[in-house]
Amino acid sequence: MTAAILLATLLVVGTSLLHLLVFRALTRGMRRVSLHPYAQILLILLAILAAHMVAVILYAVAYALSVQTLQIGNFSGVPMNVPLDYLYFSIVSYTSLGLGDVFPNGHLRLVTGVEALNGLLLIAWSGSFIFIAMGRIWPWESVSPAHQGRVSEKPAVEKPEY
């Protein structure tokens, strides 16, 4: 049980630091990059997706090591024969999808539960970051001070429709 708790803690700290570093790099980097705002948003989305994929891969590697080396549990259901199977299970757990075709046994249940909670928090954190970034980067047309705060009046320049 101690190995599972330690492993889960290391994974949470590691994936949280990974996201923190990515968010920090994006925040600083977007100030220096002279890309079109749409390209900046796309770059932010892809970088955050890459950070989530790295987090999922870290959990997948941890599952493989847990079964094969640490022997703190195993998996039932659909057989886990190749590394892609661990990646699949990790994605399903990280996103809290929980299909149930593969399920952990032993102390791996703790690691899996922590991955779902960690994934939920990191996805929410990413959503918040993207929301703030879009508020700063998105090319909304400026509204004259006379129109600010007035809901009933249309702004001087229409926002583009998408």
Side-chain angles (χ1 to χ4, degrees):
M1 180 68 142
T2 304
I5 292 171
L6 181 62
L7 180 62
T9 302
L10 288 173
L11 287 165
V12 167
V13 170
T15 56
S16 297
L17 282 174
L18 168 70
H19 277 73
L20 181 65
L21 293 173
V22 168
F23 294 155
R24 184 176 176 198
L26 286 170
T27 301
R28 291 181 175 181
M30 289 300 113
R31 293 180 191 147
R32 297 182 202 144
V33 175
S34 61
L35 292 174
H36 189 276
Y38 298 151
Q40 287 183 1
I41 296 292
L42 184 59
L43 181 64
I44 289 170
L45 291 173
L46 292 174
I48 291 173
L49 178 63
H52 284 290
M53 287 307 299
V54 169
V56 166
I57 290 168
L58 288 173
Y59 273 97
V61 169
Y63 289 131
L65 290 173
S66 296
V67 170
Q68 298 167 4
T69 306
L70 298 175
Q71 298 178 349
I72 60 173
N74 56 23
F75 291 96
S76 298
V78 176
M80 304 282 279
N81 298 324
V82 295
L84 189 59
D85 294 333
Y86 292 106
L87 183 63
Y88 163 77
F89 178 75
S90 182
I91 290 171
V92 168
S93 298
Y94 187 87
T95 59
S96 302
L97 183 59
L99 292 177
D101 54 344
V102 178
F103 50 94
N105 297 310
H107 298 303
L108 276 181
R109 294 178 299 166
L110 173 72
V111 177
T112 302
V114 169
E115 180 182 14
L117 180 58
N118 189 23
L120 179 68
L121 291 172
L122 293 177
I123 290 168
W125 191 14
S126 296
S128 297
F129 183 85
I130 292 167
F131 179 80
I132 291 168
M134 286 193 66
R136 292 182 180 169
I137 297 171
W138 196 258
W140 299 117
E141 300 297 329
S142 62
V143 178
S144 69
H147 290 93
Q148 289 180 352
R150 295 184 187 173
V151 178
S152 61
E153 293 185 22
K154 288 186 175 183
V157 179
E158 292 287 328
K159 295 179 186 175
E161 293 184 307
Y162 300 103

